[in-house]
């Protein structure tokens, strides 16, 4: 967990200045941003989806949405450039043939079963870090539950100030939460997020990832996802939390390994889905958001019992002999379990030590 926060004011420029209902965002020429409140592409896609077996005319779309035919055409072009296969036929109009694989906001919203988390979405094709963007907007009102997602990141951040390599094919996501809690409870959020992600992967992909303390997800003992939490506090209360979730959904592990193999405590990287496999990142994302909200609601209602057991059940860490690099130096011992706050309990030199942060390596 890292405690923050320096706020960086947003600059306005006349070029690349994207007007949206709640924020002014400065974009580079290669960057595109879409939001769940940019409603034109969303509405056109909805119309096309509800008439998938037939063509609908530009005039009909225009009339339904209060747009000129030229504006309809422009938006159809935009949707095609985003990977939707839309056939256009003179005198007949447009027909949706296939959806995009991109995690566009209206695709995430379509079928999302949450009340709060993910109801407002910022989407980028590329960004430095979704976590950094979240930091810029999180002090604004109405951002509780907002998510920021990007197809790739140029400066992704990992735990303990490590670089997080984030090529296209991964799911790089930040969730803003403003819980009315004391700071001592912030350590529960990485535990909730990692458990929710594990459950979502089990349900959607039928895989059984393991949890490696504090909050790595592994497959075949290699890292497949990680969680980073940035917290802003004000007189012992949580002001906001930003839960960063990095999922190696459909990546080439060798490309990431090449870049990070010499970093401390590196133990290998893997991918959830192979290069040639069919994949539905949006479904995994929606399921994760739902599972996370369920756990979050339980935390708010103080009904968290059972969560620790669910986490421990999936853990590869319990019972292992480990070496831990912690702020207090290196500790060697045997892991007994985690406590209700998600801290690691280690038997070392005849006594039980409680650790809240650190990186562990398993000893053979
Ligand atoms: C870890 O080190 O295990 C945590 C990695 C967290 C990476 C995610 S990707 C989305 C979000 N944006 C970032 O820059 N980092 C987090």
């Amino acid at each position: 967990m890292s405690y923050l926060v320096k706020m960086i004011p947003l600059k306005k420029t006349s070029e690349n200045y994207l007007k949206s209902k709640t924020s002014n965002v400065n974009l580079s020429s290669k960057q595109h941003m879409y939001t769940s409140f940019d409603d034109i592409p969303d509405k056109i896609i909805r119309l096309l989806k509800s008439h998938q077996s037939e063509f609908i005319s530009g005039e009909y779309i225009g009339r339904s949405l209060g747009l000129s035919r030229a504006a309809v055409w422009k938006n159809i072009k935009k949707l095609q450039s985003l990977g939707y296969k839309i056939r256009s036929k003179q005198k007949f109009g447009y027909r949706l043939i296939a959806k995009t694989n991109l995690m566009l906001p209206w695709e995430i919203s379509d079928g999302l079963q949450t009340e709060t988390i993910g109801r407002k979405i910022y989407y980028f094709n590329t960004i430095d870090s979704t976590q950094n963007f979240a930091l810029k907007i999180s002090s604004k009102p109405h951002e509780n539950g907002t998510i920021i997602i990007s197809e790739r990141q140029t400066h992704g951040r990992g735990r303990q100030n490590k670089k997080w390599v984030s090529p296209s094919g991964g799911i790089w996501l930040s969730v803003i939460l403003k819980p009315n809690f004391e700071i001592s409870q912030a350590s529960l959020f990485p535990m909730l997020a990692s458990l929710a992600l594990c459950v979502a992967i089990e349900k959607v992909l039928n895989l059984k990832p393991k949890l490696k303390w504090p909050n790595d997800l592994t497959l075949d003992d290699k890292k497949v996802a990680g969680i980073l939490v940035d917290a802003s506090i004000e007189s012992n209360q949580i002001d906001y939390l930003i839960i960063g979730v990095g999922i190696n959904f459909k990546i080439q592990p060798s490309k990431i390994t090449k870049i990070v193999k010499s970093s401390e405590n590196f133990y290998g990287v893997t991918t959830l889905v192979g290069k040639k496999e069919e994949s539905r990142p949006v479904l995994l994302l929606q399921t994760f958001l739902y599972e996370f909200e369920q756990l979050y609601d339980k935390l708010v209602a103080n009904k968290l019992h059972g969560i620790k057991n669910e986490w421990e059940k999936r853990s590869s860490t319990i019972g292992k002999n480990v070496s831990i690099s912690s702020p207090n130096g290196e500790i060697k011992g045997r892991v007994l379990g985690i406590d209700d706050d998600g801290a690691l309990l280690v038997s070392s030199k005849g006594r039980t030590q409680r650790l809240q942060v650190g990186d562990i390596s398993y000893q053979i």
Side-chain angles (χ1 to χ4, degrees), residues 116-117 134-135 137-146 175-181 189 232 237-243 296 300:
T116 312
I117 300 183
L135 283 177
I137 61 166
S138 46
S139 57
K140 292 184 182 178
H142 315 302
E143 299 295 358
N144 181 35
T146 295
V175 182
I176 301 173
L177 290 179
K178 301 192 173 187
N180 206 1
F181 290 157
F189 284 82
S232 163
Q237 283 290 116
I238 296 174
D239 177 19
Y240 56 80
L241 294 175
I242 302 171
I243 323 287
Y296 181 47
V300 173

Side-chain angles (χ1 to χ4, degrees), residues 11-27 33-41 78 122 140:
K11 269 195 293 177
K12 270 190 209 172
T13 60
S14 52
E15 281 172 358
N16 305 321
Y17 170 52
L18 194 134
K19 281 201 185 96
S20 73
K21 285 172 195 152
T22 59
S23 71
N24 302 324
V25 180
N26 199 10
L27 297 170
M33 177 179 99
Y34 297 99
T35 66
S36 51
F37 40 91
D38 263 338
D39 42 18
I40 303 294
K78 182 157 133 184
Y122 291 84
K140 292 184 182 178

Side-chain angles (χ1 to χ4, degrees), residues 129-131 153 156-159 164 173 216 223 226-227 245-246:
S129 155
T130 56
Q131 206 74 356
Q153 298 182 117
R157 293 198 280 117
R159 283 176 53 247
W164 183 264
L173 164 82
D216 286 1
K223 185 153 172 168
I227 313 284
V245 184

Side-chain angles (χ1 to χ4, degrees), residues 279-316:
S279 58
R280 297 172 70 193
V282 167
L283 182 60
L284 178 62
L285 183 56
Q286 289 170 328
T287 313
F288 163 68
L289 297 175
Y290 174 75
E291 295 295 333
F292 187 39
E293 188 170 275
Q294 294 295 303
L295 294 179
Y296 181 47
D297 287 350
K298 283 190 182 160
L299 176 64
V300 173
N302 214 356
K303 289 187 181 152
L304 257 196
H305 40 263
I307 304 291
K308 184 176 92 102
N309 286 353
E310 286 302 312
W311 199 96
E312 283 186 337
K313 223 163 75 184
R314 292 167 173 85
S315 165
S316 60

Side-chain angles (χ1 to χ4, degrees), residues 220-290:
D220 303 326
D221 296 326
K222 291 184 180 151
K223 185 153 172 168
V224 80
I227 313 284
L228 165 76
V229 179
D230 288 322
S232 163
I233 45 176
E234 233 177 77
S235 34
N236 210 32
Q237 283 290 116
I238 296 174
D239 177 19
Y240 56 80
L241 294 175
I242 302 171
I243 323 287
V245 184
I247 310 171
N248 296 335
F249 182 74
K250 193 175 189 173
I251 51 107
Q252 273 178 269
S254 58
K255 286 197 175 162
I256 296 189
T257 305
K258 225 192 290 175
I259 304 170
V260 292
K261 67 175 179 226
S262 55
S263 66
E264 218 187 319
N265 292 315
F266 175 75
Y267 59 91
V269 167
T270 191
T271 180
L272 279 177
V273 175
K275 212 164 136 189
K276 292 187 181 149
E277 280 175 75
E278 268 295 300
S279 58
R280 297 172 70 193
V282 167
L283 182 60
L284 178 62
L285 183 56
Q286 289 170 328
T287 313
F288 163 68
L289 297 175
Y290 174 75

Side-chain angles (χ1 to χ4, degrees), residues 109-155:
S109 302
D110 188 3
L112 183 65
Q113 289 183 340
T114 56
E115 293 280 326
T116 312
I117 300 183
R119 285 289 147 200
K120 189 165 169 191
I121 305 167
Y122 291 84
Y123 164 95
F124 294 87
N125 60 334
T126 182
I127 197 167
D128 58 345
S129 155
T130 56
Q131 206 74 356
N132 293 351
F133 183 82
L135 283 177
K136 290 178 193 164
I137 61 166
S138 46
S139 57
K140 292 184 182 178
H142 315 302
E143 299 295 358
N144 181 35
T146 295
I147 67 167
I148 301 98
I149 184 143
S150 187
E151 301 288 345
R152 62 188 280 272
Q153 298 182 117
T154 53
H155 293 83

Side-chain angles (χ1 to χ4, degrees), residues 42-79:
D42 178 6
K43 283 182 180 156
I44 294 185
I45 275 298
R46 265 173 215 264
L47 261 184
L48 290 170
K49 280 182 184 168
S50 62
H51 291 81
Q52 245 180 304
S53 56
E54 58 190 340
F55 281 88
I56 48 175
S57 69
E59 194 197 338
Y60 173 76
I61 299 174
R63 221 178 328 109
S64 310
L65 305 181
L67 294 172
S68 69
R69 278 175 68 176
V72 171
W73 182 80
K74 217 170 125 192
N75 276 285
I76 293 276
K77 286 271 153 226
K78 182 157 133 184
L79 287 165

